[in-house]
Amino acid sequence: MQPPPQSRPASDHKAQPFQLRGSVHTILCLRLLAPTDPEFLPLLRDKVAHSPDFFRDAPLVLDLAPVADTPPIDLAAFVAELRRMRLFPIGVQNATPPWQEAARSAGLALFGAGGSGSFPDRAASARARPAPPAGRRGAGLVITEPVRGGQQVCCPEGDLVVLAPVGHGAELVAAGHIHVYGPLRGRAFAGVDGDARAMIFCDQLEAELVAIAGVYLVAEDIDPRLRGRRVRVWSEGERLVMVPVP
Amino acid sequence: MSQVIVVTSGKGGVGKTTSAAAIGAGLALKGKKTCVIDFDVGLRNLDLVMGVERRVVFDFINVINDGIRLHQALIKDKRIEGLYILPTSQTRDKDALTREGVERVIEELKQDFDYVICDSPAGIEKGAFMALYFADEAIVVTNPEVSSVRDADRILGILNSKSRRAERGEPPMKQHLLLTRYDLERVARGEMLKLEDVVEILAIPVLGVIPEDDAVLQCSNNGMPVVLEPKSIAAQAYMDAVRRLLGETVELRFTTPPKKSFVNWLLRRSA
Ligand SMILES: Nc1ncnc2c1ncn2[C@@H]1O[C@H](COP(=O)(O)OP(=O)(O)OP(=O)(O)O)[C@@H](O)[C@H]1O
Ligand SMILES: [Mg+2]
C-alpha cells in the first residue's frame, strides 16, 4: 500500500505562530488591451477620477491575455504610474514566459497558469487553467463492495465511483472526481495529479479527510452541520468549498 | 462438505475465544463433528476455556513442525460428542506457524470434520493472518464500542483481500457479524453503540447478538463452553447463532429491553 499523495494543509496547525489559510477575494482586474497606446494612462486616470473612493488603494491584477503575442513593456514603470493613481497592482494573470519575467522583476505575483491561486475572476481563472493533457482522463473505476479500514482504492487515470460504504481508515485516491454512493467515513483524495477542478461527492459525509489537488480539510475543520449530509466538495483557490446537495 | 470458519476481530479481548468455544460446542450439540483450533500461539486460552488444559500432550505446533501426528494432538471433549480441540503451544512463537504446515493440518481435518473453527489471535499480524487465510467463512466478533467496530471493519478488508479465496479470485468468504457483550442498559444510556449502528457501519449480515452475561465468566472459569449452561441468556443467544449458521431463520432475541410486565411490577413491589 502506498502512502497518501503529497498534500498541503488548507489550514495550518494552531501551534504555529501564524495561520496559513486559503481565502477568496474579489480583486479588480485590469485587462491590458493596448498598454502602449499613448492614451492609455490619461484615459485610465480619468476613469479613476470619476470614482476615487471605489478605486482608492484598490488591489489590482493585470490581465495580460490580450498582449500575449506582443513583447513585454517596462512593467516596473507602468506599475509606478498606476501607483501614482492610487491603484495597487499586486500581480498578473495569463502571462506568457517573457511577460512573467517582466512581472517578476517588477515585483508582481503570478496568478493563474503561471502561479498558484487564480481566483480574481472565476470565469477568467477557469479559462486560465491548463487543459488536461490529451488522454489524461482515462479509465474510471467502479467499486461495488465496501471499502474497509486499511484498504486503499486507487484510480490513477480517471473518476472513482464507489457504490458502497467507505470505512474509517479507508482511502480513496483518484486523478479525477470521487463519487461515493454511501457513507464516506475514510479519506478521499481527488485530483491527485493536480487537477483542481476535480470534485468529491458523497451521500453521507463522515470523512476523516477530504483533499482536492493536494489541498485538504481534516474532520475537525469540517463544518459539523455538514456531517451525515449529502455533500459536494470542490476547490476554489487554496480553499475547499463544501455544500449540501439535495 | 467441510467448512472452515475463522473467528476473528482485530481488537483483543472482545470474545473470540469464548465465541469459538461456544459455537464449536453448539455445532457439536447439533450433531456436527467439529474441531476448534487455537491459533493464539504463545497465549493458549482455548484449552483453558474448554476445560482440557490438563490433557494437553502435543499441540498444533508439534504437528506442524515436529512430526507429531494430528490424532496424537487432537483432544476429544468428554461432555459433548463430536467436539475436538487442537490446542496450541505456550512456549513457541508465531513464526512456528508456516503456511504450508497450517494448510496441511486444515486439509487433513477437513477429511474428517464437518466444521473446523479457527480461533484467531487479536491483531492483524501473522497469527491472525494464518487463522483466516484458509477459511471459507468468517465470524467477525465485535463489541458495541467504536474502536472494536473500526478494527472489525479493518479485518473485513483483510478477509476480502488477503485470504486464499481472494488471492485465487474465488467467490468471497461468507462473512457474519457477531456482536458480543451487548449490554442493553448501557446501550439505552447511549454509552454503547446500538446494534443498528454497528450493522450500518459494517454492512454484513448479523449472525447473533450475545448479551453481556456473568455466566460467560463463570463458565470459562470452570472450563466449560457457555452453551453447557443452557438456562443462561448467553447460551441461548449462542445457540440461536449456531442455528443461523446452519441455515435456519431465527429471530434475534435479547436486543430490546424486556417488557416490564404487571406481574414483575407486583413482584418488585412486594419484595
Ligand atoms: N457475553 C459476555 N458477557 C460477559 N463477559 C464476556 C462475554 N463475552 C466475553 N466475555 C469476557 O470477556 C473477556 C475476553 O473474552 P475472550 O477471551 O473470549 O476474548 P478474545 O477476543 O478471545 O481475547 P483475545 O483477543 O485476548 O484472544 C473474558 O473475560 C470473557 O469472560
Ligand atoms: Mg482469544
Side-chain angles (χ1 to χ4, degrees):
Chain A
M1 240 169 257
Q2 330 161 339
Q6 280 294 312
S7 303
R8 58 189 184 281
S11 61
D12 272 347
H13 204 266
K14 292 162 191 82
Q16 291 176 335
F18 53 80
Q19 215 176 33
L20 212 49
R21 281 189 187 278
S23 57
V24 179
H25 298 282
T26 307
I27 303 179
L28 278 177
C29 179
L30 183 66
R31 299 198 84 199
L32 304 192
L33 298 175
T36 50
D37 185 329
E39 284 298 289
F40 188 102
L41 291 171
L43 284 172
L44 184 61
R45 209 169 282 125
D46 250 27
K47 179 102 188 153
V48 171
H50 265 93
S51 343
D53 287 345
F54 179 74
F55 286 110
R56 187 169 303 131
D57 297 325
L60 203 64
V61 169
L62 309 179
D63 185 357
L64 303 176
V67 293
D69 296 332
T70 61
I73 57 168
D74 180 352
L75 272 179
F78 186 72
V79 166
E81 287 294 338
L82 297 179
R83 285 281 172 83
R84 228 161 277 142
M85 298 177 209
R86 303 203 64 174
L87 293 173
F88 210 97
I90 56 169
V92 299
Q93 70 182 29
N94 297 321
T96 55
W99 279 97
Q100 287 177 13
E101 202 40 56
R104 266 192 215 103
S105 51
L108 293 171
L110 302 179
F111 288 91
S116 51
S118 53
F119 40 82
D121 145 38
R122 194 97 64 83
S125 63
R127 259 181 274 118
R129 278 180 187 139
R136 230 281 263 92
R137 274 303 163 82
L141 181 62
V142 178
I143 303 288
T144 53
E145 292 294 309
V147 185
R148 305 291 183 179
Q151 291 188 310
Q152 190 187 50
V153 177
C154 207
C155 181
E157 307 255 295
D159 297 347
L160 174 59
V161 179
V162 182
L163 305 173
V166 177
H168 292 282
E171 266 176 27
L172 305 180
V173 179
H177 306 306
I178 293 178
H179 303 253
V180 180
Y181 296 96
L184 169 58
R185 303 192 173 98
R187 303 159 156 239
F189 298 85
V192 285
D193 289 343
D195 185 352
R197 292 168 307 176
M199 298 187 205
I200 297 171
F201 307 82
C202 67
D203 268 358
Q204 203 177 313
L205 179 80
E206 314 273 353
E208 293 164 337
L209 182 151
V210 288
I212 292 173
V215 181
Y216 65 75
L217 271 181
V218 292
E220 197 181 71
D221 296 328
I222 295 175
D223 186 344
R225 287 168 301 182
L226 292 173
R227 297 241 132 223
R229 307 273 308 262
R230 186 200 305 266
V231 158
R232 176 163 77 104
V233 188
W234 72 92
S235 151
E236 241 174 50
E238 287 289 281
R239 199 177 72 118
L240 294 188
V241 183
M242 233 177 242
V243 294
V245 290
Chain B
M1 205 193 61
S2 182
Q3 283 295 94
V4 180
I5 303 179
V6 60
V7 180
T8 186
S9 69
K11 191 168 159 68
V14 298
K16 292 178 293 296
T17 300
T18 303
S19 301
I23 289 171
L27 285 167
L29 286 173
K30 288 280 181 185
K32 305 290 177 187
K33 193 170 176 191
T34 302
C35 175
V36 189
I37 312 180
D38 191 349
F39 276 81
D40 205 348
V41 186
L43 288 177
R44 211 183 97 178
N45 282 329
L46 182 72
D47 51 301
L48 201 68
V49 169
M50 298 188 78
V52 298
E53 87 280 6
R54 298 192 310 159
R55 296 164 58 200
V56 175
V57 183
F58 299 114
D59 58 47
F60 187 24
I61 304 300
N62 296 139
V63 179
I64 290 176
N65 292 301
D66 309 323
I68 299 296
R69 305 278 300 278
L70 186 55
H71 69 84
Q72 293 176 280
L74 277 177
I75 301 175
K76 187 178 187 313
D77 190 276
K78 287 183 173 158
R79 300 154 294 197
I80 304 173
E81 180 66 30
L83 178 61
Y84 291 77
I85 293 107
L86 183 55
T88 195
S89 164
Q90 218 159 10
T91 52
R92 310 283 274 271
D93 67 23
K94 299 191 185 353
D95 292 332
L97 287 174
T98 62
R99 193 187 296 202
E100 297 67 35
V102 173
E103 179 170 24
R104 183 167 51 79
V105 173
I106 287 184
E107 288 305 322
E108 197 175 334
L109 287 169
K110 278 165 88 170
Q111 304 301 312
D112 211 24
F113 286 89
D114 299 314
Y115 284 91
V116 178
I117 309 288
C118 306
D119 177 22
S120 173
I124 50 175
E125 270 139 47
K126 190 167 184 189
F129 173 72
M130 284 299 162
L132 68 84
Y133 188 71
F134 298 100
D136 304 304
E137 296 184 42
I139 296 175
V140 176
V141 182
T142 184
N143 295 158
E145 170 249 329
V146 172
S147 63
S148 136
V149 173
R150 296 230 174 145
D151 285 2
D153 189 65
R154 185 94 211 259
I155 275 290
L156 284 165
I158 293 172
L159 294 170
N160 283 336
S161 55
K162 300 266 163 64
S163 63
R164 183 169 71 174
R165 274 170 176 268
E167 281 183 5
R168 289 180 172 176
E170 290 169 5
M173 203 184 286
K174 206 163 163 189
Q175 297 160 343
H176 310 274
L177 173 62
L178 188 66
L179 183 55
T180 60
R181 310 201 68 165
Y182 199 62
D183 185 331
L184 285 172
E185 283 176 20
R186 298 191 65 187
V187 171
R189 287 202 297 269
E191 293 168 12
M192 292 187 132
L193 296 173
K194 288 201 299 280
L195 169 65
E196 293 74 28
D197 298 338
V198 179
V199 172
E200 216 254 327
I201 293 171
L202 295 178
I204 56 170
V206 181
L207 181 70
V209 176
I210 314 298
E212 175 78 19
D213 184 353
D214 291 339
V216 171
L217 187 59
Q218 280 161 28
C219 285
S220 78
N221 282 340
N222 294 328
M224 67 187 215
V226 70
V227 292
L228 288 178
E229 195 68 80
K231 287 211 202 66
S232 69
I233 51 173
Q236 294 173 49
Y238 272 120
M239 285 313 291
D240 284 359
V242 166
R243 287 164 61 198
R244 289 185 200 105
L245 197 58
L246 293 172
E248 288 179 46
T249 310
V250 184
E251 288 261 348
L252 279 176
R253 291 193 279 172
F254 317 116
T255 55
T256 46
K259 296 243 162 37
K260 293 207 169 74
S261 70
F262 181 62
V263 177
N264 270 338
W265 180 74
L266 276 180
L267 282 173
R268 221 160 328 122
R269 248 168 62 104
S270 54

